[in-house]
Amino acid sequence: MRTRQRILEAAAELFRDRGYSNTRLTDIAERAGVQTGSLYYHFASREALVGEILHIGMGTAWRHVHQAVDSLASDAAPIERVAAAIKAHLLVVLDISTIASAQSRVVNEVPDDVRAAHLDEQRAYGNYWRSLLEDAQRAGELDPGLDLYVFGVALFGMMNATTALQPERVGDAEAVASIIVGLVLDGVRVGRPKRRAR
Amino acid sequence: MRTRQRILEAAAELFRDRGYSNTRLTDIAERAGVQTGSLYYHFASREALVGEILHIGMGTAWRHVHQAVDSLASDAAPIERVAAAIKAHLLVVLDISTIASAQSRVVNEVPDDVRAAHLDEQRAYGNYWRSLLEDAQRAGELDPGLDLYVFGVALFGMMNATTALQPERVGDAEAVASIIVGLVLDGVRVGRPKRRAR
DNA sequence: GTCTATACGGCGATAGAC
DNA sequence: GTCTATCGCCGTATAGAC
């Protein structure tokens, strides 16, 4: 495998497991099987390396979520599109891409200038989610009184927290995704019918 | 105010906003209005300081949640106790205690030995929540098929993510808490009555 | 492209005066 | 109890050989 790719993969595993601040360049080099100094042939700095992780990880999540939503029947209900997006995001961070997983773990931990450089793509992703939610709300399928800002923050907090699940204590990613989708759409309470739109 | 207390408060604000690894002792000292060297009269090390934050923060959350649940009528439904616990935890981290807020932010970021020293109290808190959830499930008020481990991780991920909400874009802590409680119990979907226990 | 060797700075921690 | 001064380590980054 190309060295640059090995470095990115090694960095992603470590960032995902320990976070950015707790990962030394020597750790990354060791896991990638090179000397620390050699990293600088491929990346200008530690910050440039993590910046690349953010970029690739977000792109990967974006592509998978977008594709999952687009592959629904064109007459699919907006709420179905939201459900598909949630499932796709979870599959990506839990299963498909170590780099996407790392992105979600370290986004809020990196130095300000790295975040700033990443902000545009992060916002684009957020805007896409917001449009999905607004469509569902306009269609009367989401609680019309729901504050989408609060909901969005809560939703991402929940989804990204699932990367901390111990694999041996849960089923596969599909199983986790369906639990989360069920929780978000219908909650965990039994026996109290939902009220209709007010 | 006693210096030790000022130091703890200053450290908590910084830990909550930037995390542990991104907070220098010089930042803490500056905010507390002392010289860096003076910190060592009150705490043996940086790790000891954050350990104290974890301890106090967890104790504070514990007390508030416990009290909120206990102050319910003794015949309150188990699901009501869960709702009260969620609300209380949110009020604590959003409003009541900077130290509790800091605890939730840095728990998964501190060095291993600090975490290890904190593990017992963290587990006790988790066990209390698990008992609340199991009671509700046994009473048939929570979806009987729900995986409580996955739910617990998701729930805490969601609750602790609310500390990232920008205050100017949301109502007060009570308002946020009621959104989250509603989301957890009944979900965000409109119009599809929940099925009864299967 | 990768290595070895080293420069450089930052930060946690200690010593000792007051 | 708080200050000033300083030590020493660790980790990022650079230089230059191969």
Side-chain angles (χ1 to χ4, degrees):
Chain A
M1 201 202 309
R2 286 230 326 297
T3 304
R4 184 190 152 90
Q5 197 56 37
R6 279 209 328 275
I7 295 171
L8 284 168
E9 207 57 40
E13 287 177 32
L14 291 163
F15 288 159
R16 176 195 43 163
D17 295 340
R18 314 184 191 168
Y20 174 69
S21 322
N22 290 322
T23 302
R24 309 281 80 118
L25 287 181
T26 53
D27 304 329
I28 296 170
E30 184 182 25
R31 177 166 302 213
V34 296
Q35 292 301 311
T36 306
S38 310
L39 297 177
Y40 287 86
Y41 175 80
H42 302 277
F43 301 94
S45 67
R46 182 168 175 255
E47 295 197 358
L49 170 53
V50 74
E52 188 71 5
I53 295 277
L54 295 182
H55 177 65
I56 297 174
M58 186 59 98
T60 304
W62 168 272
R63 274 193 307 281
H64 277 85
V65 169
H66 218 270
Q67 189 187 348
V69 170
D70 286 351
S71 69
L72 293 176
S74 61
D75 64 341
I79 190 83
E80 294 298 331
R81 292 160 60 86
V82 171
I86 294 173
K87 177 177 171 181
H89 182 94
L90 286 168
L91 292 185
V92 168
V93 298
L94 288 175
D95 236 31
I96 296 170
S97 166
T98 311
I99 296 185
S101 194
Q103 191 273 348
S104 75
R105 161 90 194 235
V106 304
V107 181
N108 297 311
E109 185 191 350
V110 293
D112 287 344
D113 48 345
V114 177
R115 279 211 58 173
H118 183 55
L119 205 61
D120 278 353
E121 34 199 27
Q122 203 184 353
R123 250 202 282 264
Y125 194 62
N127 286 340
Y128 179 65
W129 277 86
R130 184 142 41 91
S131 72
L132 290 177
L133 297 176
E134 284 172 353
D135 288 349
Q137 203 170 39
R138 238 188 322 265
E141 295 169 338
L142 276 194
D143 179 350
L146 181 66
D147 180 327
L148 294 185
Y149 169 60
V150 174
F151 175 53
V153 170
L155 175 61
F156 272 86
M158 180 164 46
M159 291 195 297
N160 292 340
T162 60
T163 57
L165 287 167
Q166 299 166 331
E168 65 273 18
R169 296 181 63 184
V170 297
D172 61 13
E174 295 262 358
V176 173
S178 91
I179 294 173
I180 301 298
V181 169
L183 161 56
V184 171
L185 295 187
D186 299 318
V188 296
R189 168 149 59 176
V190 148
R192 174 168 307 200
K194 290 191 72 103
R195 55 216 171 291
R196 290 215 152 255
R198 16 185 166 175
Chain B
M1 198 201 315
R2 286 228 330 294
T3 304
R4 184 190 153 92
Q5 196 57 36
R6 279 207 331 273
I7 295 171
L8 284 168
E9 207 57 41
E13 287 176 33
L14 291 163
F15 288 158
R16 176 195 43 162
D17 294 340
R18 313 184 192 168
Y20 174 70
S21 321
N22 291 323
T23 303
R24 312 289 108 207
L25 286 182
T26 51
D27 303 330
I28 296 170
E30 183 183 23
R31 177 166 302 213
V34 297
Q35 293 301 311
T36 307
S38 309
L39 298 177
Y40 287 86
Y41 175 80
H42 302 278
F43 301 95
S45 67
R46 182 166 174 258
E47 296 197 359
L49 171 53
V50 74
E52 188 71 6
I53 295 278
L54 295 182
H55 177 65
I56 297 173
M58 186 59 98
T60 303
W62 168 272
R63 274 193 307 282
H64 277 86
V65 169
H66 217 271
Q67 188 188 347
V69 171
D70 286 351
S71 69
L72 293 176
S74 61
D75 64 342
I79 191 81
E80 294 298 331
R81 292 160 60 88
V82 170
I86 295 173
K87 178 178 171 182
H89 181 94
L90 286 168
L91 292 185
V92 167
V93 298
L94 288 174
D95 235 31
I96 296 171
S97 166
T98 310
I99 297 185
S101 194
Q103 190 273 348
S104 75
R105 160 91 194 234
V106 303
V107 180
N108 297 311
E109 186 191 351
V110 293
D112 288 344
D113 49 345
V114 177
R115 279 209 57 170
H118 183 55
L119 205 60
D120 278 355
E121 33 199 27
Q122 202 184 356
R123 250 203 283 265
Y125 194 61
N127 287 339
Y128 178 65
W129 277 86
R130 183 140 43 89
S131 72
L132 289 177
L133 297 176
E134 284 171 353
D135 287 349
Q137 203 170 40
R138 239 190 320 267
E141 295 170 338
L142 274 195
D143 178 351
L146 182 66
D147 181 326
L148 294 186
Y149 169 60
V150 173
F151 175 52
V153 169
L155 175 61
F156 271 85
M158 180 165 45
M159 290 194 298
N160 293 339
T162 60
T163 57
L165 288 167
Q166 299 166 330
E168 66 273 17
R169 296 182 61 184
V170 296
D172 61 13
E174 296 262 357
V176 172
S178 92
I179 294 174
I180 301 297
V181 169
L183 161 56
V184 171
L185 294 186
D186 299 319
V188 296
R189 168 151 55 178
V190 148
R192 175 169 304 199
K194 291 191 70 107
R195 57 217 169 291
R196 289 215 153 255
R198 13 186 170 178

